[in-house]
Amino acid sequence: MSCVLGCFIPRPSTKMTTTTKNATGEKTNNNSSKDESPLIVSFGEMLIDFVPNVAGVSLADSMGFLKAPGGAPANVAVAIRKLGGRSAFIGKFGEDEFGYMLVDILKKNGVITDGVCFDPNARTALAFVTLRNDGEREFMFYRNPSADMLLKEAELNLGLIQKARIFHYGSISLITEPCRSAHVAAMKAAKQAGLLLSYDPNVRLPLWPSPDAAKEGIKSIWKEADIIKVSDDEVAFLTNEDKTKEEVVRKLWFDGLKLLVVTDGEKGCRYFTKKFKGSVSGFSVKTVDTTGAGDSFVGSILTAISKDASLLEDENKLKNALRFANACGAICTTQKGAIPALPDVATVNDFISKYK
């Protein structure tokens, strides 16, 4: 029997609230309605990443793995909280130890979990992530189907979405039904409520039936977004052209889009709005694991936009926000796993001040 609207089935050990300090040092109740920061709702998957404890070996040759929480939309939600924003997560988990563990992690990080559901008949998704010597990744997923794929439209907490300022999502939740219909319904509710829609395709080709299916699925909701972040490799995939050329990136632009950002790894990022365009340099670090770097970047820029939407119209403000986001992404690559590596404001400021 699946859960009802916005349900959450806590275990006795699950803490319903946590207390942390925000960027100014003030103690806050992370799940409290008294938190006046604008709400950002992140929709999609959360899973367990098993990361080899030694880089540069195949999954078969790895002698051990580090268990790390992952899933791009969930990573973004935690990144927002670590950077002093207010976030909620909507998604579905298996009613199993991994599922309970992941929801505990969300709650301990101050993410609102009123949109979480559990499925007693499906498992929480797993992914084994091979790290090459350069820190880049290859994935092997275990989802057949996993609980996140089974989220239904009737299980959406639409009230939570309607309270938000930004609704963020990826493309993995578009792959199969019923989650695809739930995703589209959530987007529709967000748009009707006047939210900004944020899209990070986060291409994972092994999960799609084919590259063509991935491209079609990703582009099927492309023109609904207000903010889109893509990596340079995703530009190449979506256009089949040179990712470094501006005219190629421009093919991803459409009337109504407010901000398009292309991340270029340690080189930084390129940005495009209706009124201006440019680039912001990145940070060179010793990369250990790139998992979560893009999510840290997205969490940072969404936190900034949620607090000051004028930066979408002010180039200097946008460039400052993007430089901070670049630093977030760089810091995240210096540790294994996504959520454990997400930085807070103090860490980022210290990093930027010391960077040469």
Side-chain angles (χ1 to χ4, degrees):
M1 181 176 180
S2 62
C3 55
V4 295
L5 179 65
C7 69
F8 169 56
I9 310 171
R11 295 176 301 167
S13 62
T14 300
K15 295 181 179 180
M16 299 305 291
T17 60
T18 58
T19 300
T20 60
K21 292 184 179 180
N22 62 19
T24 62
E26 178 185 358
K27 290 185 177 180
T28 61
N29 180 330
N30 292 335
N31 284 350
S32 171
S33 61
K34 295 181 181 180
D35 187 340
E36 296 300 327
S37 297
L39 178 63
I40 304 169
V41 172
S42 194
F43 174 95
E45 72 283 354
M46 188 178 190
L47 62 155
I48 303 288
D49 287 333
F50 287 91
V51 183
N53 53 12
V54 177
V57 299
S58 68
L59 291 176
D61 292 334
S62 179
M63 299 300 292
F65 296 86
L66 299 174
K67 182 179 63 176
N75 294 342
V76 169
V78 175
I80 290 164
R81 282 300 299 160
K82 287 195 172 185
L83 295 170
R86 183 170 174 240
S87 66
F89 180 75
I90 292 178
K92 199 171 190 180
F93 299 83
E95 197 172 312
D96 52 39
E97 285 304 305
F98 282 148
Y100 286 122
M101 183 197 84
L102 290 175
V103 175
D104 282 344
I105 288 170
L106 288 175
K107 297 182 78 63
K108 288 174 182 176
N109 280 283
V111 177
I112 296 170
T113 55
D114 294 351
V116 163
C117 283
F118 286 94
D119 192 320
N121 300 312
R123 296 294 189 186
T124 300
L126 308 178
F128 287 83
V129 186
T130 301
L131 296 178
R132 302 199 308 247
N133 285 324
D134 61 1
E136 288 298 330
R137 305 151 294 159
E138 297 173 354
F139 294 86
M140 180 183 292
F141 294 93
Y142 285 77
R143 304 167 86 228
N144 56 341
S146 53
D148 60 288
M149 301 165 67
L150 302 176
L151 180 66
K152 301 173 184 177
E153 180 178 348
E155 295 167 336
L156 292 173
N157 187 335
L158 297 179
L160 183 63
I161 295 172
Q162 291 161 353
K163 294 176 184 177
R165 183 165 296 178
I166 298 175
F167 181 69
H168 175 73
Y169 49 88
S171 68
I172 290 174
S173 47
L174 297 170
I175 296 173
T176 58
E177 293 290 357
C179 191
R180 176 181 170 81
S181 291
H183 182 144
V184 172
M187 285 175 52
K188 182 178 179 180
K191 189 167 282 286
Q192 289 177 341
L195 278 65
L196 288 172
L197 271 61
S198 164
Y199 187 20
D200 177 1
N202 195 43
V203 177
R204 295 289 178 262
L205 290 181
L207 292 176
W208 292 86
S210 68
D212 286 343
K215 194 173 298 185
E216 180 181 354
I218 289 166
K219 289 186 173 180
S220 69
I221 61 168
W222 192 262
K223 294 187 177 181
E224 299 299 319
D226 298 293
I227 301 162
I228 296 178
K229 173 264 174 189
V230 286
S231 70
D232 53 354
D233 288 339
E234 289 166 344
V235 170
F237 170 70
L238 293 170
T239 64
N240 292 317
E241 296 185 53
D242 188 343
K243 62 188 180 183
T244 65
K245 294 183 177 180
E246 180 181 328
E247 60 266 30
V248 172
V249 177
R250 283 285 184 184
K251 293 182 179 182
L252 299 176
W253 181 266
F254 60 89
D255 288 340
L257 186 60
K258 292 180 172 60
L259 175 64
L260 173 64
V261 178
V262 179
T263 51
D264 294 307
E266 69 176 26
K267 295 178 182 178
C269 65
R270 289 168 278 169
Y271 60 89
F272 301 83
T273 74
K274 186 176 180 179
K275 296 181 179 179
F276 48 78
K277 64 182 180 180
S279 62
V280 178
S281 60
F283 300 85
S284 180
V285 296
K286 184 177 180 180
T287 298
V288 174
D289 178 9
T290 58
T291 306
D295 305 324
S296 185
F297 179 97
V298 171
S300 176
I301 195 65
L302 292 185
T303 300
I305 292 170
S306 73
K307 294 180 178 181
D308 184 6
S310 72
L311 66 80
L312 294 172
E313 305 287 337
D314 185 318
E315 188 170 12
N316 286 330
K317 284 184 178 181
L318 179 61
K319 290 179 73 171
N320 288 334
L322 289 173
R323 179 168 171 76
F324 189 91
N326 283 341
C328 289
I331 293 168
C332 197
T333 69
T334 62
Q335 298 181 46
K336 289 184 179 179
I339 288 178
L342 297 171
D344 59 19
V345 172
T347 299
V348 180
N349 286 334
D350 184 62
F351 172 82
I352 293 174
S353 68
K354 293 180 179 178
Y355 183 79
K356 296 180 180 179

